[in-house]
């Protein structure tokens, strides 16, 4: 992390968030996304794609459709198609339910990606070879880890990867321990998305770690915000605060949070009884927040 930046972690039950005018980062704590859904129910009750990723777009050769079962991604023969999003993150859990609908196809979670998807990590289901593969998308000689698994066309599988710093962990089925556990420093942060090669696959419940709160949706935002393993990460650029206002409206409330500082510059706190722009507000300053737990 660059010199002069501060990192703070906030756990919210009902709050508005800001990061200080000095360049800084604030984490709002959340829960890791869950696995263990019943496979035969995943797509049966779905009417549209369930996801907390936003700004979907296509790269490559193929098409993307939102169907009743979720997101259908179809490539041209022997080609790649990417469904990338505007959601980017550094440290996170990223997971999805996947059904490969053509045996020759590979279905992939793309993460820490550049704009076109080819400087990224890929977590792939390779049906024909019976493999789960974690690789650097940019080419040979880079990260490429493979494990044998039982795969069948038309079955539903849950893909899950945890990225924290250089450590990448892939989880499979009901196993508590990761199937793949490696360190690689090629990509520290980037966009999230999906990929299919030479066929089609359905994706559902495409989720990244998110803020665990009862705040409702954000109605105003400034600065940079992204998902994080501990919830939500806000970054101030040194000239303005990172501020996020949520739709929850309360007069009398209990406000609490866990805050830790990774550097001695910047400030962060919780805002409450604010207007919709956050300009008329009261806040708990960094001294109050620090008492929630400094590390």
């Amino acid at each position: 992390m660059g010199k002069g930046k501060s990192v703070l972690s906030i756990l919210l039950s009902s709050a508005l968030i800001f990061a200080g005018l000095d360049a800084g980062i604030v984490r709002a704590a959340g829960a890791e996304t869950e696995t263990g859904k019943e496979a035969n129910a995943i797509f049966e009750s779905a009417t549209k794609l369930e996801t907390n990723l936003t700004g979907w777009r296509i790269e490559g050769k193929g098409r993307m459709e939102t169907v009743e079962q979720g997101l259908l991604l179809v490539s041209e023969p022997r080609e790649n198609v990417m469904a990338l999003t505007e959601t980017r993150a550094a440290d996170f859990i990223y997971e999805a339910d996947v059904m490969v609908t053509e045996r020759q196809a590979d279905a992939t979670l793309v993460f820490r990606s550049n704009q076109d998807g080819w400087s990224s990590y890929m977590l792939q289901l390779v049906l024909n070879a019976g493999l789960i593969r974690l690789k650097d998308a940019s080419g040979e000689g880079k990260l490429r880890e493979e494990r044998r698994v039982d795969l069948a066309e038309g079955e539903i599988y849950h893909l899950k990867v945890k990225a924290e710093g250089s450590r990448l962990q892939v989880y499979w089925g009901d196993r508590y321990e990761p199937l793949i556990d490696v360190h690689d420093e090629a990509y520290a942060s980037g966009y999230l998305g999906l990929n299919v090669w030479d066929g089609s696959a359905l994706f559902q419940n495409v989720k990244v770690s998110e803020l665990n709160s009862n705040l409702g949706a954000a109605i105003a935002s400034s600065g940079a915000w992204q998902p994080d393993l501990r919830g939500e990460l806000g970054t101030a650029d040194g000239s303005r605060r990172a501020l996020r206002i949520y739709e929850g409206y309360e007069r009398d409330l209990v406000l609490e949070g866990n805050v830790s500082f990774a550097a001695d510059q910047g400030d962060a706190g919780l805002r409450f009884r604010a207007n919709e722009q956050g300009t008329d507000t009261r806040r708990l300053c960094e001294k109050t927040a620090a008492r929630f737990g400094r590390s």
Side-chain angles (χ1 to χ4, degrees), residues 273-284:
R273 290 182 177 173
N275 62 8
E276 290 183 352
Q277 294 74 40
T279 54
D280 183 11
T281 183
R282 297 179 183 181
R283 69 182 173 102
L284 303 181

Side-chain angles (χ1 to χ4, degrees), residues 134 160-164 167-171 178 180-182:
L134 176 65
K160 175 181 173 181
V161 59
K162 180 178 180 180
E164 185 171 16
R167 191 178 187 184
L168 306 175
Q169 296 174 288
V170 174
Y171 293 85
I180 298 173
D181 191 344
V182 296

Side-chain angles (χ1 to χ4, degrees), residues 28 49 111 115 146 151 191 229 244 256 267 277 282 285:
L49 176 66
F111 59 99
Q115 288 280 352
E146 298 177 339
L151 298 172
Y191 298 99
L229 267 176
R244 183 159 278 188
E256 58 184 335
D267 60 85
Q277 294 74 40
R282 297 179 183 181
C285 70

